[in-house]
């Protein structure tokens, strides 16, 4: 089945999912070029909205993601990269970027503050990896 | 630790993750109200961009998501709902919305067409659930 991917402002949400542990590792966006590069190299590529550039995960840290499969959702507007993660996925040193669990939610109109506890595992010291 | 969530156009990406199987079930967006309702009720709420309204997952189909935990990422701009899913998560009848795996990627400038195979499990007939 052929699916035309839907991009929003030139980007599509891409979820990195650990193929072995089943953890959600990180959330980012992919551009058409990022998807093409991911497929060609087998390494996860994204598009950094803050740096406004194509980004190979792990290019600086060495914590690359080997992509075993790319899945596309029912609407063709979101992707899952099934990955084997080298090192931790998060620049904070945690295995997953989702290392904090919400305890309480406080909403004030359009803003939300949450209190959290750290429930993820820290694998490395970011100061040693990013100089 | 207190985290002020970052909303983009009033919304934050929310990934539904099956707490038991570890599958990524669906990708959607949450509004401040959706997060508050999720926390209050223990049932996953999102914001539908197409219908422009708060949306309780399963309100029509009965396929609700019991939220066991909400996780927040390092930047405070994405959420994971750890859920126990009743029925299938996808309106197509599949367990996960990400039931298609990419075989080939064809990029033409700003568009991408992918050929896929169905690798997910279909749990119900959508015609019987959505009338």
């Amino acid at each position: 089945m052929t699916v035309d991917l839907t991009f929003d402002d030139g980007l599509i949400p891409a979820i990195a999912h650990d193929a072995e542990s089943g953890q959600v590792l990180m959330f980012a966006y992919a551009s058409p070029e990022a998807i093409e590069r991911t497929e060609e190299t087998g390494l996860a590529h994204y598009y950094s909205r803050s740096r406004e550039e194509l980004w190979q995960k792990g290019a600086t840290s060495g914590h690359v993601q080997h992509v075993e499969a790319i899945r596309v959702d029912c609407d063709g507007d979101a992707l899952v990269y099934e990955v084997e993660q080298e090192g931790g996925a998060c620049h904070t040193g945690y295995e997953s970027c989702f290392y904090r669990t919400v305890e309480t939610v406080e909403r004030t109109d359009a803003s939300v503050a949450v209190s959290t506890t750290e429930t993820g595992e820290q694998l490395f010291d970011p100061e040693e990896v990013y100089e």
Side-chain angles (χ1 to χ4, degrees), chain A residues 16-21 25-26 44 46 57-58 61-68 82-90 94-96 123-124:
Chain A
H17 183 238
D18 192 304
E20 193 177 350
S21 73
L25 296 175
M26 50 178 268
Y46 302 93
K57 169 67 186 167
S61 63
H63 297 164
V64 299
Q65 296 173 333
H66 301 276
V67 178
E68 298 184 1
E82 298 283 356
V83 307
E84 182 198 331
Q85 173 74 57
E86 291 199 17
C90 191
Y94 283 84
E95 191 172 7
S96 160
L123 299 183
F124 65 88

Side-chain angles (χ1 to χ4, degrees), chain A residues 3 24 33-34 40 48 51 64 78 88 93 118 129:
Chain A
V3 183
V24 178
E33 188 183 3
E40 284 172 359
S48 167
R51 296 195 305 272
V64 299
E118 297 192 0
V129 170

Side-chain angles (χ1 to χ4, degrees), chain A residues 84-102:
Chain A
E84 182 198 331
Q85 173 74 57
E86 291 199 17
C90 191
H91 70 285
T92 58
Y94 283 84
E95 191 172 7
S96 160
C97 292
F98 296 92
Y99 63 90
R100 297 179 294 196
T101 299
V102 172

Side-chain angles (χ1 to χ4, degrees), chain A residues 14-125:
Chain A
I15 301 157
H17 183 238
D18 192 304
E20 193 177 350
S21 73
Q23 271 200 87
V24 178
L25 296 175
M26 50 178 268
F27 173 79
Y29 292 90
S31 60
E33 188 183 3
I35 298 167
E36 189 179 52
R37 293 287 297 152
T38 298
E39 202 255 352
E40 284 172 359
T41 64
L43 296 173
H45 287 68
Y46 302 93
Y47 183 87
S48 167
R49 296 196 300 175
S50 57
R51 296 195 305 272
E52 298 184 351
E53 63 181 19
L54 182 74
W55 160 53
Q56 186 210 306
K57 169 67 186 167
T60 304
S61 63
H63 297 164
V64 299
Q65 296 173 333
H66 301 276
V67 178
E68 298 184 1
I70 302 174
R71 310 219 198 273
V72 55
D73 79 344
C74 48
D75 299 321
D77 61 4
L79 300 176
V80 166
Y81 289 171
E82 298 283 356
V83 307
E84 182 198 331
Q85 173 74 57
E86 291 199 17
C90 191
H91 70 285
T92 58
Y94 283 84
E95 191 172 7
S96 160
C97 292
F98 296 92
Y99 63 90
R100 297 179 294 196
T101 299
V102 172
E103 296 296 329
T104 63
V105 172
E106 199 164 331
R107 173 162 85 101
T108 314
D109 290 334
S111 69
V112 175
V114 295
S115 67
T116 65
T117 53
E118 297 192 0
T119 49
E121 191 183 355
Q122 192 162 22
L123 299 183
F124 65 88
D125 179 350

